[in-house]
Amino acid sequence: MRVLVTGGAGFIGSHVVHAMLAAGHEVMVVDDLSHGRRENLPPGVRLFVTDIRSPELAAVYAEVHPEVVCHHAAQVSVARSVAAPVEDATLNVVGTVNVLDQAVKHAVRKIIYISSAAIYGNPQYQPCDESHPVVPLSPYGLAKRIGEDYVKLFNTLYGLQYTIFRYANVYGPRQDTEGEAGVIALFTRRMLDSKVTIIHGDGRQTRDFVYVGDIAQANVLALSRADGAVINLGTGTAVSINQLWRNLRTLTGYTGQEKHGDERKGDIRDMVFSIQRADELLGWQPSVNLEHGLRQTVAAFTQTA
Ligand SMILES: NC(=O)c1ccc[n+]([C@@H]2O[C@H](COP(=O)([O-])OP(=O)(O)OC[C@H]3O[C@@H](n4cnc5c(N)ncnc54)[C@H](O)[C@@H]3O)[C@@H](O)[C@H]2O)c1
């Protein structure tokens, strides 16, 4: 299949590109390299350095003729979305509409749209399934929700097929360690560099951490399955930040003390996904457990000192 991956030079997108190529698909990438890196891509993959908001996106579609567009490009920081909501909306809402509009104009069959746990807001029950009320608490979460609504509307108006994935906390090799990085990437980098690590609050807050290789496999499956579905992707297992910190300390050989700082304002206390639907509709289950995933991550980060 011919697939165009937006944001394919980024952390998750690049794993999706690798997995789709390994499954025998023809993959091309559009990424403006604002956050992604050319080196994340396997040699020979065609990269269009283009902003998804730009009119030039039409020329990319005309050249690639994708059957499926896998839309990962986004402004990914919740904090930045609060500080600069207009910028967030132009990329995560208007950019998404441009990706959809061009898809219709170039007879794309399907879009795989990437949404987030952030759309649920404070969980009203656990595990959080796809029927949970959607009450985002940040411009980022709101933009992802609006993106989902546009995807469904384009299906109604033009028959553009879709799968919507809501990712939990994704981790693994190539994750950014700067800025508002994922906690695993941040702790791993700092522990390997023997720097102080701070756990926010009492560290008993829990998250659902899913390995990026498993996420990539779900994207491969969605090329030919789960049309019209909204699907959570996580592990269904809650892991506390304390547990994570201790696992990483062992794996990295870190000798620093366990230090706790202030609770982060507005942080959700606990979030774990129900992943039953992913199994039913995609035949997908996570295959990498936390121990193994953390080992892979530490090994990769050790090589990129
Ligand atoms: N990392 C997570 O835990 C997580 C959780 C839920 C959802 N997501 C979603 O997954 C997707 C990928 O996130 P990631 O963590 O790999 O982040 P990332 O920043 O590594 O990837 C995003 C990519 O999009 C590119 N991009 C940004 N603006 C662009 C533009 N205007 N035009 C073209 N390309 C542009 C960046 O250069 C980058 O390569 C995003 O949609 C994000 O919202 C991520």
Side-chain angles (χ1 to χ4, degrees):
M1 222 177 272
R2 281 172 80 78
V3 186
L4 179 65
V5 180
T6 76
F11 161 48
I12 302 172
S14 65
H15 285 272
V16 170
V17 170
H18 281 264
M20 286 187 177
L21 284 174
H25 299 289
E26 210 179 327
V27 187
M28 275 157 257
V29 168
V30 57
D31 195 304
D32 69 351
L33 300 183
S34 55
H35 206 208
R37 292 146 49 104
R38 198 180 283 270
E39 308 84 85
N40 287 343
L41 292 171
V45 169
R46 181 113 190 247
L47 166 66
F48 296 85
V49 182
T50 307
D51 189 317
I52 56 160
R53 293 165 289 193
S54 128
E56 286 162 33
L57 191 67
V60 175
Y61 275 71
E63 210 171 325
V64 176
H65 277 300
E67 294 165 75
V68 177
V69 173
C70 185
H71 180 33
H72 277 77
Q75 190 298 109
V76 298
S77 158
V78 171
R80 176 127 198 96
S81 81
V82 174
V86 175
E87 180 199 307
D88 180 80
T90 59
L91 180 45
N92 290 358
V93 179
V94 179
T96 293
V97 176
N98 199 27
V99 166
L100 293 170
D101 186 37
Q102 292 308 324
V104 169
K105 288 181 172 140
H106 292 87
V108 170
R109 185 185 73 77
K110 175 170 185 174
I111 174 133
I112 300 172
Y113 175 72
I114 307 310
S115 185
S116 163
I119 71 160
Y120 291 120
N122 255 322
Q124 296 172 19
Y125 58 85
Q126 309 266 4
C128 182
D129 60 19
E130 294 85 349
S131 308
H132 185 285
V134 167
V135 193
L137 297 172
S138 63
Y140 170 79
L142 180 60
K144 287 287 179 184
R145 178 203 167 139
I146 294 169
E148 289 193 7
D149 287 347
Y150 265 106
V151 167
K152 290 177 187 165
L153 181 66
F154 271 60
N155 174 259
T156 308
L157 291 178
Y158 309 110
L160 177 63
Q161 258 321 330
Y162 69 86
T163 298
I164 292 170
F165 282 140
R166 294 173 178 164
Y167 292 167
N169 290 64
V170 187
Y171 73 97
R174 298 200 283 276
Q175 187 162 23
D176 194 12
T177 56
E178 304 296 322
E180 195 198 348
V183 64
I184 292 180
L186 199 75
F187 281 170
T188 305
R189 183 74 275 150
R190 293 189 70 84
M191 285 182 180
L192 287 173
D193 294 345
S194 302
K195 288 189 177 151
V196 173
T197 53
I198 305 286
I199 299 170
H200 292 298
D202 65 9
R204 293 202 188 119
Q205 62 273 35
T206 58
R207 293 291 181 275
D208 186 335
F209 294 102
V210 57
Y211 187 67
V212 68
D214 281 328
I215 291 287
Q217 281 311 321
N219 279 270
V220 174
L221 293 169
L223 291 175
S224 52
R225 292 185 206 176
D227 281 4
V230 178
I231 297 177
N232 280 349
L233 293 180
T235 64
T237 305
V239 174
S240 77
I241 305 302
N242 286 338
Q243 183 188 337
L244 192 68
W245 190 92
R246 288 165 197 159
N247 285 5
L248 282 171
R249 175 182 55 187
T250 308
L251 289 171
T252 57
Y254 184 61
T255 52
Q257 292 299 308
E258 183 174 321
K259 288 205 168 101
H260 291 257
D262 289 342
E263 220 169 273
R264 256 198 329 199
K265 248 178 105 182
D267 250 5
I268 289 167
R269 183 74 190 166
D270 299 297
M271 172 58 98
V272 65
F273 268 1
S274 158
I275 55 166
Q276 211 175 322
R277 191 181 284 180
D279 191 10
E280 283 163 14
L281 299 183
L282 277 180
W284 178 90
Q285 288 174 354
S287 66
V288 178
N289 65 26
L290 186 70
E291 166 77 20
H292 184 55
L294 291 181
R295 263 184 209 287
Q296 302 275 96
T297 307
V298 170
F301 278 49
T302 306
Q303 282 164 17
T304 56

